[in-house]
Amino acid sequence: MPISYHEALQIIQTQIKPLHVTQTLPLLKAINRIASSDVYAKFALPKHPMSLKEGYGIAFEPNTVMYTLLNPPYPTTIPLGYGIRLSTGESIPQGADTIIAEEDVLFEREDSIKIPLHVTQAQHVKKEGEDIEKGELLLKKCERISAQKITALSSQGISNVKAFQKLTISILSIGTQLATGEIHNSNAMSLAARVIELGGKVDEIVICEEDEAKILEKLKRLIQKADCVITTGALSRHDAMRHLLETKIVTPLFHHVRIAPAKPSALTLFENKPILHLPGLPLGCMLGFEMIGVPLMRHLSHQLCIIPDFITCINQKRITCKDNCMSAIPGYSDGRSFVNAPYYEAGRLNILSKCNGYTLVEDKEVIEEGEEIPFFYFTHPPVS
């Protein structure tokens, strides 16, 4: 019995074990990897109160506008009514609790300054620990290591971080025409490029004629090194991969999923390694990877959410799709509106090169112009 798309995603989360191998990496090599442990701050930042402005640090005294300037060496505690010259980012000595920006000083003498009456105590002061508190969680296990996270890590003198090992995938393309060289293996190259684009690693791309024994032999070899194998083709009614699924020589997790145009797609276990089976028709293969392969990769890699982020767009053109399933419709979005590709049948080849993402439509035959739809970018949204 066919299952829903949501049921397929639930099976991925409950029946597949994420990778457990970790490695220690220099910070810059850890970009976009997934942290394998929590990282906490060893000390507070700033370590001492700091000036946020070029100007003067004063020991604030209410209703006082004239402050006497001290010259170094300064006393241990700056007394009320006194101040010192400070640069941006400089530590503020004890007693001084307010910063007067240079441009706010009414007039300056060699030994004193006059300030406005509206000065607020503690203005332009960054307190101890205001950026980072000692013991603060800087990086959470299973969180993506971004450039912004590296800001906090490097400020603590951390030069290496523990991350899960990069996901390794092999691709097995099945088909007589592929084996004879009659057609080029564009599916495998597209999938490999997408795996790399998403942060994975491709171990091997292998072509196999449509023979059950040879398919099993190739799978046994590929899973020795890969964390996951993707097969393409041979899923039609009388094909070899379909027969292996139905006879349960590979352990099926799901076989029939109500999705379009990626039907039939399947997920199995072979010697405890996940095998994703995608159709051979080009657009069906690639959209099947987006719908099932991407969540599988994200789950194996310990990403917190297996569904990629999406934005909400306004559909600009009436779309027809299949009822009683989850349909992936490729198209283009400028971040506000969505226009679907002119064609999106499973056998189309070059449609996705003209698209920057897709929408998912569930159990509807028509999406009208003006309707809100979710849009998933293939890569990160463009910077406007």
Side-chain angles (χ1 to χ4, degrees):
M1 165 129 0
I3 64 172
S4 72
Y5 178 56
H6 299 289
E7 288 172 318
L9 295 180
Q10 187 175 26
I11 288 170
I12 289 173
Q13 289 182 296
T14 57
Q15 301 297 315
I16 301 291
K17 293 181 180 179
L19 304 183
H20 62 275
V21 179
T22 64
Q23 56 188 158
T24 300
L25 298 169
L27 286 185
L28 294 183
K29 288 189 178 294
I31 290 285
N32 287 325
R33 300 289 285 275
I34 304 301
S36 62
S37 61
D38 294 337
V39 180
Y40 295 89
K42 297 179 289 186
F43 50 82
L45 279 178
K47 295 180 178 179
H48 309 283
M50 187 184 84
S51 173
L52 291 172
K53 290 283 188 175
E54 182 89 10
Y56 300 89
I58 62 170
F60 183 79
E61 191 171 25
N63 303 316
T64 299
V65 294
M66 294 298 300
Y67 283 80
T68 302
L69 295 180
L70 298 172
N71 294 316
Y74 304 127
T76 304
T77 301
I78 306 298
L80 291 176
Y82 286 79
I84 62 169
R85 193 82 166 85
L86 286 175
S87 300
T88 304
E90 193 171 350
S91 292
I92 302 171
Q94 189 173 342
D97 58 5
T98 303
I99 301 298
I100 308 300
E102 192 165 25
E103 60 269 22
D104 292 335
V105 173
L106 298 180
F107 69 78
E108 175 185 2
R109 296 176 180 159
E110 188 173 332
D111 60 352
S112 63
I113 56 170
K114 183 178 182 181
I115 67 170
L117 278 171
H118 64 262
V119 167
T120 303
Q121 189 172 15
Q123 69 179 21
H124 307 317
V125 172
K126 181 153 60 170
K127 298 175 183 177
E128 178 182 345
E130 191 171 324
D131 280 330
I132 297 174
E133 294 181 2
K134 184 178 180 180
E136 181 180 335
L137 180 60
L138 302 179
L139 182 65
K140 189 177 180 180
K141 182 180 178 180
C142 297
E143 193 171 20
R144 185 177 70 88
I145 302 169
S146 64
Q148 292 74 28
K149 293 294 179 181
I150 284 177
T151 300
L153 297 174
S154 59
S155 73
Q156 292 280 309
I158 296 170
S159 57
N160 295 290
V161 66
K162 291 182 179 179
F164 289 105
Q165 187 167 288
K166 187 177 286 192
L167 177 65
T168 299
I169 291 178
S170 285
I171 300 168
L172 177 61
S173 302
I174 306 166
T176 303
Q177 290 178 301
L178 289 171
T180 60
E182 186 177 338
I183 59 175
H184 294 291
N185 195 7
S186 60
N187 277 353
M189 291 303 293
S190 300
L191 288 169
R194 191 73 177 113
V195 166
I196 293 168
E197 192 171 53
L198 292 168
K201 183 169 64 174
V202 176
D203 184 52
E204 281 193 76
I205 297 175
V206 175
I207 295 174
C208 181
E209 59 187 276
E210 198 174 326
D211 177 277
E212 290 183 28
K214 291 181 179 178
I215 292 171
L216 286 172
E217 177 189 342
K218 301 288 188 188
L219 282 176
K220 285 180 180 178
R221 183 173 66 80
L222 292 174
I223 61 173
Q224 298 308 309
K225 293 172 64 179
D227 301 306
C228 173
V229 175
I230 301 173
T231 75
T232 64
L235 288 174
S236 295
R237 184 175 179 182
H238 300 293
D239 289 350
M241 194 68 249
R242 174 75 169 263
H243 187 255
L244 289 173
L245 289 169
E246 290 179 345
T247 55
K248 300 184 179 180
I249 292 175
V250 289
T251 305
L253 297 179
F254 58 75
H255 185 185
H256 302 284
V257 187
R258 294 194 299 271
I259 56 176
K263 183 182 178 181
S265 294
L267 183 66
T268 65
L269 287 175
F270 189 56
E271 297 187 9
N272 293 317
K273 293 284 183 75
I275 313 292
L276 174 63
H277 306 275
L278 297 173
L281 292 175
L283 189 60
C285 174
M286 294 311 298
L287 288 178
F289 179 76
E290 295 302 322
M291 298 178 80
I292 299 175
V294 171
L296 177 60
M297 278 189 68
R298 292 172 67 91
H299 177 67
L300 286 168
S301 302
H302 290 265
Q303 296 192 48
L304 294 173
C305 180
I306 68 170
I307 298 297
D309 292 335
F310 63 89
I311 62 171
T312 300
C313 291
I314 303 300
N315 182 43
Q316 297 297 301
K317 184 180 177 182
R318 192 173 190 265
I319 302 171
T320 57
C321 41
K322 292 187 177 180
D323 193 10
N324 195 32
C325 73
M326 181 72 81
S327 297
I329 311 294
Y332 183 86
S333 174
D334 60 4
R336 297 175 294 276
S337 59
F338 170 78
V339 178
N340 64 282
Y343 309 103
Y344 38 90
E345 301 94 342
R348 297 285 177 175
L349 174 69
N350 199 38
I351 288 296
L352 296 187
S353 68
K354 303 168 187 176
C355 303
N356 64 344
Y358 63 97
T359 184
L360 291 178
V361 180
E362 185 172 20
D363 296 338
K364 295 183 74 171
E365 292 183 344
V366 174
I367 303 298
E368 299 291 353
E369 180 181 340
E371 283 193 47
E372 288 190 346
I373 51 104
F375 182 77
F376 299 83
Y377 284 101
F378 290 136
T379 55
H380 296 298
V383 177
S384 58

